Amino acid sequence: MKKRSAFVMIIPGLVILAVCLFLPLLRVLIPSLHTGEYPLSAYVSFFQDEYYRKIFVRTVKVACLTTGFCMVLGVPTAYFISRCGKKWRGILLSVSIFPMMTNSVIRSFAWINILGSNGLINRILVTAGIVEKPLKLLYTDFAIIIGSVYLFLPLMIVTVAGVMENIGDDMMEAALSLGANRFRAFMKVIFPMSLPGIIVGGILVFTGTLTAYTTPQLLGGNKNMVLSTFIYQRAMSVGDWDGAAVISLIMIVVTLAVIKGFNSLAARLDKRGGDHA
């Protein structure tokens, strides 16, 4: 009886998802499967085109590098926050989340002022005599990665910190008492126990970077296009809605594949941990 009641309660949500999400997606994506001389020919043509492949590779590369940098920066930060007192923990988490309260357009324009030819970094480098002329930092893959890390790092910190808060200090103390240094104790004890949060954070950062539009458009420009900006160009500038649908389905498949890969990795690591135990 309880299961039946629970099923009845989720019916409105399922109906809303079906009407507002799945049906529009299917209406856009299904025609793209039959565009061209034979089924899926549009997708074959996409990966045969060198220009399209470069955009695809750039998008995946930016998403992977952003996820990696967020993990490297976010995990130690989350551990530090999780080991602070409750008062300071709340303050530091608030500071970490604060950038998310600012519109992504504003944050991207801030990076334009920092990375531009007359921006803060180039002015410092030229004034110090390190370089003779301003470096090209803006409208590059580097600029997109920097902006994406700034955009999604709070997600990684908050997700991992929430898991690390539940790991007792006695786990680290036990490892130290057995002769391990703090770094080795962290890597052998704290890090494996934090993997669920790290994997969830990695999924959020990767999918967010893969589908982000504002930051790549403002910091990458038209010469460093990614899939999300490419969709906008095909649909709004060229009027090629079938081409935009092809790119959209490719992004959906990549996102689902990455989520599946992260979940498989988590399952293998969990199994390995159980075998060692």
Side-chain angles (χ1 to χ4, degrees):
M1 189 67 180
K2 291 182 178 179
K3 291 183 178 179
R4 186 176 180 180
S5 300
F7 179 75
V8 171
M9 292 177 65
I10 66 172
I11 287 178
L14 293 176
V15 172
I16 293 174
L17 283 175
V19 173
C20 299
L21 178 62
F22 295 119
L23 291 179
L25 275 177
L26 291 176
R27 185 175 180 181
V28 172
L29 297 178
I30 288 179
S32 69
L33 300 175
H34 304 284
T35 301
E37 299 177 358
Y38 52 88
L40 301 180
S41 62
Y43 297 89
V44 175
S45 300
F46 179 90
F47 287 103
Q48 287 178 340
D49 191 294
E50 183 179 358
Y51 178 68
Y52 292 176
R53 287 201 308 271
K54 285 183 179 179
I55 295 176
F56 176 80
V57 171
R58 179 185 296 117
T59 305
V60 175
K61 180 184 72 174
V62 167
C64 290
L65 290 175
T66 300
T67 304
F69 284 128
C70 285
M71 286 182 176
V72 171
L73 297 174
V75 172
T77 304
Y79 177 70
F80 175 79
I81 292 175
S82 67
R83 291 299 173 264
C84 292
K86 289 185 178 181
K87 177 183 177 180
W88 283 104
R89 190 185 309 162
I91 294 174
L92 293 175
L93 282 175
S94 299
V95 172
S96 301
I97 299 173
F98 181 76
M100 299 179 65
M101 300 178 183
T102 308
N103 188 277
S104 59
V105 176
I106 298 174
R107 285 181 279 179
S108 297
F109 273 115
W111 279 107
I112 291 176
N113 291 326
I114 295 173
L115 300 175
S117 298
N118 295 319
L120 178 63
I121 294 178
N122 275 313
R123 284 207 300 266
I124 293 174
L125 293 176
V126 173
T127 303
I130 299 175
V131 296
E132 296 181 358
K133 59 181 182 179
L135 300 176
K136 182 174 176 54
L137 301 176
L138 192 61
Y139 306 129
T140 61
D141 292 353
F142 169 78
I144 299 175
I145 293 171
I146 289 292
S148 299
V149 170
Y150 178 69
L151 186 65
F152 295 108
L153 182 59
L155 286 177
M156 178 66 70
I157 293 175
V158 172
T159 304
V160 178
V163 175
M164 287 185 172
E165 285 179 0
N166 298 320
I167 302 175
D169 293 333
D170 55 341
M171 303 297 294
M172 177 67 80
E173 294 173 359
L176 295 175
S177 67
L178 294 174
N181 56 42
R182 297 195 68 86
F183 178 77
R184 186 174 179 83
F186 176 83
M187 295 303 297
K188 292 294 184 179
V189 178
I190 305 299
F191 184 79
M193 297 179 69
S194 306
L195 277 176
I198 296 173
I199 289 174
V200 171
I203 292 174
L204 293 175
V205 173
F206 184 92
T207 56
T209 307
L210 188 76
T211 57
Y213 171 79
T214 304
T215 299
Q217 178 63 34
L218 293 178
L219 299 182
N222 293 327
K223 291 185 178 180
N224 294 276
M225 199 170 294
V226 294
L227 290 178
S228 57
T229 56
F230 194 36
I231 289 176
Y232 182 86
Q233 184 199 67
R234 300 309 301 176
M236 306 307 294
S237 300
V238 183
D240 181 13
W241 286 93
D242 290 335
V246 169
I247 303 168
S248 301
L249 185 55
I250 290 173
M251 292 178 67
I252 292 173
V253 171
V254 171
T255 301
L256 294 177
V258 168
I259 293 174
K260 176 66 175 177
F262 271 110
N263 289 333
S264 299
L265 176 62
R268 286 199 298 268
L269 292 173
D270 186 59
K271 182 179 180 181
R272 184 181 300 177
D275 292 339
H276 287 309

